[in-house]
């Protein structure tokens, strides 16, 4: 595990898909990196360990959004810094909410699977192969915006003010 971004580049999710979406003027831009390897044998408690790992990304995004909002509230006389802070708040709120959607392979699906009874969790696992397609359908039909935007606005209102 490293903070160097190069080993985390996924040829399809980091390069090919975003490039294809840009070239086709798809109106949406997204991608992904290689998953971070996690060894469940290192957990003291499996369920708590899985929850902590799955919640770490969205919680980190919300913490970053909060920190960027503090920078905005300081009102520093630097337009570039203020614009970066505004985008930092906006992007991190969206990333946190998106990652909490309970569709595989997003973190929200791992959290939901932990909360479901064992039999339902086993049935829920059948979504894994079609999760990416479901996410694309939700984006292209606009359903994703209908789900995420009210939550985004509520959190942005708190962090960015009225």
């Amino acid at each position: 595990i490293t903070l160097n971004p190069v080993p985390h580049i996924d040829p399809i999710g980091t390069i090919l898909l975003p490039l294809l979406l840009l070239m086709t003027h798809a109106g949406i831009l997204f991608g992904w990196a290689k998953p971070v390897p996690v060894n469940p044998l290192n957990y003291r408690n499996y369920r708590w360990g899985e929850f902590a790992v799955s919640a770490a990304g969205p919680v980190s995004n919300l913490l970053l959004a909060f920190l960027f909002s503090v920078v905005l509230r300081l009102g520093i006389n630097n337009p570039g810094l203020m614009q970066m802070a505004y985008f930092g708040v906006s992007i991190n709120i969206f990333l946190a909410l998106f990652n909490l959607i309970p569709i595989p392979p997003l973190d929200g699906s791992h959290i939901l699977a932990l909360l479901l009874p064992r039999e339902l969790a086993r049935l829920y696992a059948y979504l894994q192969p079609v999760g990416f397609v479901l996410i694309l359908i939700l984006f292209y039909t606009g359903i994703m915006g209908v789900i995420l935007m009210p939550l985004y606005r509520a959190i942005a209102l708190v962090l960015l003010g009225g």
Side-chain angles (χ1 to χ4, degrees), residues 53-126:
V53 167
S54 297
V59 168
S60 296
N61 288 125
L62 290 174
L63 181 61
L64 281 168
F66 172 76
L67 292 174
F68 279 119
S69 75
V70 169
V71 171
L72 280 173
R73 291 181 195 278
L74 291 174
I76 299 168
N77 190 19
N78 182 327
L81 179 62
M82 292 296 105
Q83 186 173 22
M84 183 191 76
Y86 176 80
F87 285 128
V89 171
S90 299
I91 291 168
N92 278 290
I93 292 170
F94 177 77
L95 287 173
L97 292 174
F98 176 73
N99 234 339
L100 285 171
I101 294 171
I103 298 175
L106 302 174
D107 290 326
S109 70
H110 299 283
I111 294 169
L112 178 59
L114 290 168
L115 298 174
L116 290 174
R118 190 165 288 176
E119 274 304 306
L120 279 177
R122 190 176 308 140
L123 288 172
Y124 182 61
Y126 286 112

